[in-house]
Amino acid sequence: MADLPAREAMEFDVVIVGAGPAGLAAAIRLKQVSPDLGVVVVEKGSEVGAHILSGAVIDPSGLDLLLPDWRSQDTPVRTAVTDDRFYWLGPAGALRLPNLLMPPLMSNHGNYIVSLGLVCRWLATRAEALGVEIYPGFAASEVLYEDGAVAGVATGDMGIGKDGAPKDAFTRGMELRAKYTLFAEGARGSLSKALIEKFALAEGREPQKFGIGLKELWQVAPERHRPGLVQHSFGWPLDGSTGGGSFLYHFDDNLVSVGFVVHLNYANPYISPFDEFQRFKTHPLVRDTFDGGKRLSYGARAITEGGYQSVPRLAFPGGALIGCSAGFVNVPRIKGSHNAMLSGILAADHAAAALAQGRANDELSAYDAAWRGSPIGRDLWKVRNAKPLWSKLGTTLGIAAGGLDMWANTLGFSLFGTMRHGKSDAGSLKPAAGFKPIAYPGPDGRLTFDKLSSVFLSNTNHEEDQPPHLKVADMEMQVRSEHDVYAGPSQRYCPAGVYEWVEDGGAPRFVINAQNCVHCKTCDIKDPNRNITWVPPEGGGGPNYANM
Ligand SMILES: Cc1cc2nc3c(=O)[nH]c(=O)nc-3n(C[C@H](O)[C@H](O)[C@H](O)COP(=O)(O)OP(=O)(O)OC[C@H]3O[C@@H](n4cnc5c(N)ncnc54)[C@H](O)[C@@H]3O)c2cc1C
Ligand code: SF4
């Protein structure tokens, strides 16, 4: 690539990577505090919201702080939670847990059911009205450094062929240079991952943990719609040693968001999160909801689950991590968007103050020092043992102990101190020899579906003639270990059917259908040898979610 033309450069005060709730909140706050700042947001989706997938029941604390007038505006935040239910599921029955038993922090009273993608689109209009420049369709593919400090990012070149050579439509990427760069890439951000490694930001912290969340959006028959109903479950169809559960949210005009999260520390390589989700929808508690309805959309995305003890150091010379690039999800509440926004606001305040003092490209260490004492730290502190207890004790005991500990923390103490997560999710997978393949029921085409017809509903599209964005470091190891020892779990954990093992002249061959990738990042997290790295494909590629 040495003979490519030099990149053009643009200078800003602050560059923000990612137009999710964290990045947009940071952009808005910067312009509220210092209207003259030059602020740009780059977003790899073809438009803002195209790559956003969430539940979502949102705690409005982030919005309240950022845009206190939002309740009087025309926003996509329309359905208040009116009924909040939590169930344990068995194969045929369901047990509702009384709301009185639930720790108060689990209550959804005062929260709203939304499409987070639509909320981001609306936030983008507010940001642009304040003078923020937003560039959708551009993936930040490289961090720029100057004297060891981050000095901005470069967007990827467009129009490079599979063979690495420029095609007729070749356009060189741009350098977006900044005094401070905020990384708001969400769970398992590719540049954030590299920064965490380069600046050893995770040193002394527990490993980050993740789940994979799969979601469908349905339009249901009007008589089945219960606007404001929020329903969560745990138990069936997962076995007692695999963490996860479902969500079902009724909102807007006859819409239902239904989804399933599987914690990625599962051990059995035969587990297929996609098929667990499809099976869940057949449970008697929920199946009638979809009678006479229509599935509108499908997608999947990793969610951070490490919580308080896994948050890396947030600041490094020239930049900072915000939102789920750092991992601020409150796991038992399944909520991260409020903390994403609050961390964007906090980082923006510190960046604006530093710029006002004439500082540039140094470390915003006061931002890192501030989050634990902020509402984000208080939110995560109380639930810090919920995930480790679930992982160590299994579903029933783990949830009971986690509930007790959350009650205790509400009163100001903990029964367990601060527990550790231990292994990474990649390290939790065990060899296939210890397990039997799982026979999942086939799709019926009405309530349950196959992967390919599902991916079709995500409107995923990638330019086919481009370098691979799913990089297998050592193909020989993939055969020897991922295939031979672990029975090819990528075929099952990938929610988009990207990975296949096929017989080729008597030998296994790894096929990568990269054009189907919905950018969930699970392969980058769960491959047992960490042999797969996800890098951004050409900007604009990936899913085109309308309202997930
Ligand atoms: C299935 C599921 C259900 C959830 N349910 C809820 C819920 O009910 N309530 C709740 O509050 N939270 C929920 N969450 C968590 C919530 O969605 C996240 O905490 C929140 O979206 C994090 O915001 P973010 O801005 O940090 O990242 P994201 O929302 O992930 O946004 C990141 C943005 O950055 C872009 N991007 C990434 N890398 C690059 C790059 N290199 N260049 C350019 N652009 C890039 C992405 O395309 C994306 O638009 C859920 C998550 C999942 C997966
Ligand atoms: S290839 Fe990886 S990032 Fe893409 S959909 Fe499959 S698991 Fe997710």
Side-chain angles (χ1 to χ4, degrees):
M1 292 269 193
D3 50 354
L4 291 179
R7 287 186 286 228
E8 279 183 37
M10 290 166 81
E11 300 277 343
F12 297 89
D13 292 299
V14 181
V15 167
I16 297 170
V17 181
L24 292 167
I28 290 171
R29 182 60 153 212
L30 282 161
K31 294 295 273 185
Q32 286 172 335
V33 177
S34 305
D36 294 336
L37 291 179
V39 179
V40 68
V41 182
V42 273
E43 166 54 51
K44 68 178 164 63
S46 60
E47 54 179 329
V48 172
H51 289 183
I52 298 289
L53 182 140
S54 190
V57 173
I58 60 165
D59 165 343
S61 56
L63 268 183
D64 286 339
L65 186 63
L66 185 71
L67 298 165
D69 66 341
W70 72 268
R71 287 167 210 266
S72 61
Q73 306 278 309
D74 182 18
T75 75
V77 186
R78 288 183 281 259
T79 310
V81 177
T82 52
D83 192 357
D84 193 6
R85 295 165 174 240
F86 207 73
Y87 289 91
W88 173 85
L89 298 190
L95 185 70
R96 181 165 175 200
L97 305 189
N99 285 11
L100 269 176
L101 273 186
M102 305 295 284
L105 63 87
M106 292 292 289
S107 166
N108 277 307
H109 182 76
N111 295 332
Y112 293 84
I113 311 171
V114 300
S115 148
L116 194 62
L118 290 185
V119 171
C120 287
R121 288 193 175 117
W122 168 70
L123 285 174
T125 62
R126 295 290 299 249
E128 281 174 332
L130 289 167
V132 174
E133 291 179 52
I134 302 181
Y135 297 155
F138 290 92
S141 63
E142 191 184 324
V143 179
L144 304 173
Y145 294 97
E146 226 170 79
D147 301 327
V150 172
V153 292
T155 61
D157 296 332
M158 312 275 266
I160 304 258
K162 263 192 180 106
D163 55 1
K167 299 182 289 187
D168 289 347
F170 174 75
T171 324
R172 192 78 166 107
M174 290 281 297
E175 291 194 359
L176 304 172
R177 301 195 147 262
K179 295 176 179 141
Y180 293 104
T181 307
L182 301 180
F183 293 85
E185 297 177 282
R188 197 59 156 200
S190 47
L191 299 181
S192 309
K193 178 182 157 191
L195 288 160
I196 289 171
E197 221 166 281
K198 180 178 170 70
F199 291 107
L201 303 177
E203 211 170 82
R205 312 290 154 90
E206 285 297 293
Q208 185 54 270
K209 307 291 285 182
F210 297 90
I212 174 175
L214 304 107
K215 173 179 163 181
E216 293 174 355
L217 181 69
W218 283 71
Q219 186 159 46
V220 299
E223 65 275 17
R224 310 236 173 238
H225 196 235
R226 308 263 311 275
L229 172 63
V230 163
Q231 191 168 296
H232 293 109
S233 75
F234 63 94
W236 192 88
L238 296 177
D239 62 46
S241 56
T242 307
S246 75
F247 60 87
L248 187 98
Y249 306 147
H250 291 241
F251 71 118
D252 286 9
D253 293 333
N254 300 321
L255 294 180
V256 169
S257 287
V258 57
F260 204 85
V261 175
V262 176
H263 299 179
L264 283 174
N265 59 359
Y266 64 80
N268 181 349
Y270 289 114
I271 284 177
S272 163
F274 176 87
D275 291 293
E276 298 291 347
F277 175 34
Q278 296 306 314
R279 221 155 46 144
F280 157 73
K281 286 184 291 170
T282 67
H283 193 278
L285 179 72
V286 296
R287 62 172 305 140
D288 291 351
T289 309
F290 308 103
D291 256 4
K294 183 175 180 224
R295 190 170 72 139
L296 302 176
S297 191
Y298 164 83
R301 180 79 174 94
I303 177 167
T304 56
E305 293 188 342
Y308 194 91
Q309 49 274 61
S310 299
V311 173
R313 185 154 61 85
L314 301 179
F316 42 84
L321 304 177
I322 58 177
C324 281
S325 277
F328 290 127
V329 171
N330 181 318
V331 179
R333 295 178 76 201
I334 336 181
K335 286 184 185 56
S337 57
H338 62 304
N339 285 337
M341 294 182 73
L342 292 171
S343 66
I345 295 168
L346 193 63
D349 282 344
H350 285 277
L355 288 163
Q357 291 163 15
R359 287 166 49 193
N361 303 99
D362 60 357
E363 191 164 322
L364 298 170
S365 27
Y367 161 56
D368 181 56
W371 79 267
R372 284 186 186 77
S374 78
I376 308 169
R378 290 196 288 279
D379 187 46
L380 297 188
W381 176 252
K382 291 190 193 129
V383 302
R384 67 196 181 284
N385 291 325
K387 162 90 181 177
L389 282 166
W390 195 338
S391 306
K392 285 183 176 61
L393 302 179
T395 300
T396 313
L397 258 183
I399 289 192
L404 273 180
D405 195 56
M406 286 193 278
W407 267 112
N409 272 283
T410 308
L411 304 172
F413 67 101
S414 165
L415 305 170
F416 303 98
T418 298
M419 293 178 70
R420 309 185 61 163
H421 293 303
K423 279 188 192 149
S424 70
D425 292 329
S428 307
L429 207 64
K430 293 195 174 141
F435 301 90
K436 285 203 186 82
I438 303 171
Y440 288 106
D444 65 14
R446 285 184 311 116
L447 176 61
T448 59
F449 303 91
D450 64 12
K451 277 188 191 171
L452 286 186
S453 63
S454 301
V455 175
F456 179 75
L457 289 183
S458 68
N459 298 315
T460 296
N461 187 35
H462 288 92
E463 163 61 50
E464 287 200 24
D465 185 14
Q466 64 171 307
H469 78 277
L470 301 155
K471 299 195 178 291
V472 180
D474 179 348
M475 198 48 95
E476 197 272 324
M477 179 201 274
Q478 204 64 12
V479 177
R480 178 168 37 83
S481 176
E482 210 260 355
H483 178 271
D484 293 357
V485 178
Y486 294 97
S490 54
Q491 304 173 100
R492 292 174 284 276
Y493 65 59
C494 174
V498 168
Y499 299 110
E500 288 176 276
W501 282 102
V502 296
E503 284 296 308
D504 190 356
R509 185 165 60 85
F510 199 44
V511 176
I512 305 179
N513 306 302
Q515 69 279 6
N516 283 357
C517 173
V518 296
H519 296 201
C520 74
K521 315 282 181 77
T522 302
C523 49
D524 195 285
I525 297 164
K526 189 63 180 168
D527 179 77
N529 304 297
R530 300 183 194 181
N531 198 24
I532 302 179
T533 301
W534 187 100
V535 298
E538 244 181 43
N544 280 290
Y545 299 134
N547 47 4
M548 294 288 266

